[in-house]
Amino acid sequence: MSTPSETAPADQDALPTEQRTAAVVYNPVKVHLPTLKRTVDKHQQEAGWAETLWFETTEEDPGGGMARAALDAGAEVIAAAGGDGTVRAVAEVVHGSDASLALLPSGTGNLLARNMKLPLDDLAGSARTIFAGHDRSIDFGLIGVERPDGRRDKFGFLVMAGLGLDARMLANTRPELKKRVGWLAYLDSLFRSVRDTDGFEFRYRLDESARNGSVRAHSVIVGNCGMLQANAMLLPDAEIDDGVFDIVVMRPRGFFGWVRIGARVFWENAILRWFRRSALSDTLIGRRITTAAKQERPLRYMRGEEFTLRLEKPDEFEIDGDPVGEIVAFRARIDPGSLNVKVPTVTPRPSRVRGRARAAKR
């Protein structure tokens, strides 16, 4: 007489494997949905994951509500398919959770993907990373602003937040031109904004310093990473996972001061970044070069974990490339390593030397 275990199928007692679930939060204006769905579905099936969840953003909600719904539905990875605003809205929700953020670059700036050196025009590779990539922990910025009427708002940010020239540039960008030429529209706005010679007075406090500083400047930018569009390197020392902000204060004198800043941002900063990472930076001459660069008058650099600033009068403010209106004060702090971002898993290739050695043995 046989026992139940002898007559039952061999895998009856095995626990069923629970499939993992991903979600995509997409901006319908930025993506071609049929192509996106077809590509994501292909890599989802290859990885053996459950059916992907899809959430469409709206004008009223750029992605935060959709990301919360995805978390509530059990998504382990939430991919943002849209511009920098979509990415930031999704990241604000994913930040601090057990889920991971994935990027399907679809906008004009794609600033986070640029700074993390992720592919900008490889949809198949980006979709594969949702299901087969690995997590990289990065820092996340938290910022509170005070409006001219006393109202207070809170935001998260991934790349940069700033006052002055960059915020005015974004506020002055012509939407119709941006649709036609992409990020080049910012150059038109930049030239128009530079003609605005008004600086602003502000007081600030960096970390736990007991003394407040007082400065007049044309722009102040707090950055979690340093690269802008066109590979312009605004903050050459910034790293996305070093646990601190990099801050730059721009205070040029006249037109040639702006020319000097432009040369620094579009050319010299990339060289200085390479130089600081090379062995030359530890030499006496190297230390003199990097110190002189940091002390250049039109640009003042600082670093810290918390930065508070109060203006004498309201001015435009931007977060990750999106204008958010006028403010009179803000407080920014860093939350180190609190956001997991999916990045491609690179399979190491066998070296030619080892390959030749194996062939010789045969």
Side-chain angles (χ1 to χ4, degrees):
M1 185 173 182
S2 61
T3 64
S5 61
E6 291 173 330
T7 57
D11 61 348
Q12 178 175 313
D13 294 331
L15 293 174
T17 302
E18 185 176 347
Q19 287 183 302
R20 304 173 69 185
T21 303
V24 177
V25 177
Y26 67 94
N27 182 335
V29 177
K30 301 285 186 179
V31 305
H32 184 257
L33 188 58
T35 301
L36 180 61
K37 279 196 170 185
R38 185 168 58 250
T39 307
V40 169
D41 288 348
K42 173 180 180 294
H43 291 285
Q44 164 216 300
Q45 291 169 15
E46 289 178 355
W49 285 42
E51 194 73 19
T52 299
L53 307 175
W54 293 85
F55 298 88
E56 180 178 312
T57 66
T58 64
E59 289 187 11
E60 296 75 23
D61 187 341
M66 298 77 190
R68 281 187 287 272
L71 282 181
D72 291 342
E76 295 182 38
V77 181
I78 304 178
D84 293 318
T86 305
V87 173
R88 179 171 62 83
V90 173
E92 284 181 339
V93 175
V94 176
H95 154 256
S97 75
D98 293 330
S100 301
L101 172 71
L103 302 177
L104 293 167
S106 310
T108 303
N110 299 314
L111 292 177
L112 180 61
R114 290 177 190 276
N115 278 275
M116 295 187 70
K117 295 181 172 57
L118 299 177
L120 302 180
D121 54 2
D122 180 7
L123 178 58
S126 298
R128 186 185 308 114
T129 298
I130 297 173
F131 308 100
H134 68 274
D135 285 342
R136 179 183 174 187
S137 296
I138 67 170
D139 302 334
F140 190 73
L142 300 169
I143 196 158
V145 304
E146 181 181 336
R147 303 292 187 177
D149 61 2
R151 180 167 49 91
R152 296 174 184 267
D153 293 318
K154 292 183 179 180
F155 302 93
F157 73 98
L158 295 154
V159 183
M160 298 179 194
L163 286 159
L165 176 63
D166 64 322
R168 294 171 192 165
M169 177 188 74
L170 291 165
N172 290 334
T173 299
R174 297 166 180 166
E176 68 281 0
L177 186 61
K178 185 177 177 181
K179 289 181 181 178
R180 291 204 312 269
V181 300
W183 67 266
L184 291 174
Y186 295 132
L187 296 181
D188 166 75
S189 178
L190 174 63
F191 292 132
R192 288 187 287 115
S193 299
V194 164
R195 292 198 296 266
D196 180 2
T197 58
D198 290 340
F200 52 85
E201 302 279 350
F202 67 92
R203 291 175 288 115
Y204 72 91
R205 179 177 178 179
L206 182 62
D207 292 337
E208 295 302 320
S209 173
R211 185 178 62 181
N212 291 339
S214 182
V215 179
R216 180 174 180 82
H218 285 74
S219 289
V220 178
I221 297 171
V222 181
N224 191 26
C225 41
M227 185 182 293
L228 302 171
Q229 290 94 340
N231 295 322
M233 186 59 70
L234 181 62
L235 301 167
D237 288 338
E239 299 288 350
I240 204 166
D241 54 4
D242 60 1
V244 294
F245 288 128
D246 285 69
I247 302 155
V248 62
V249 179
M250 298 184 186
R251 42 185 187 178
R253 288 181 177 176
F255 174 77
F256 288 104
W258 285 116
V259 171
R260 186 74 191 94
I261 288 176
R264 179 72 179 272
V265 168
F266 283 96
W267 176 249
E268 293 177 29
N269 274 352
I271 297 175
L272 286 168
R273 192 179 198 193
W274 169 85
F275 190 86
R276 291 189 184 100
R277 294 180 174 184
S278 71
L280 295 174
S281 64
D282 291 330
T283 65
L284 178 61
I285 294 176
R287 286 192 291 272
R288 287 180 177 175
I289 290 174
T290 55
T291 300
K294 286 185 176 181
Q295 292 175 346
E296 186 179 357
R297 197 206 172 280
L299 295 172
R300 178 182 177 184
Y301 290 100
M302 298 179 283
R303 307 189 87 195
E305 299 176 18
E306 186 173 304
F307 184 72
T308 303
L309 180 149
R310 180 164 292 276
L311 293 159
E312 293 295 324
K313 61 180 182 178
D315 210 326
E316 296 286 343
F317 195 61
E318 63 87 11
I319 299 176
D320 282 357
D322 284 335
V324 295
E326 289 191 336
I327 68 165
V328 293
F330 74 85
R331 177 189 177 195
R333 64 181 180 87
I334 199 80
D335 192 1
S338 58
L339 177 66
N340 289 325
V341 179
K342 286 291 182 184
V343 297
T345 298
V346 179
T347 303
R349 296 180 179 178
S351 68
R352 293 183 179 179
V353 174
R354 274 184 272 176
R356 286 196 294 266
R358 283 194 295 269
K361 286 181 180 179
R362 295 197 192 104

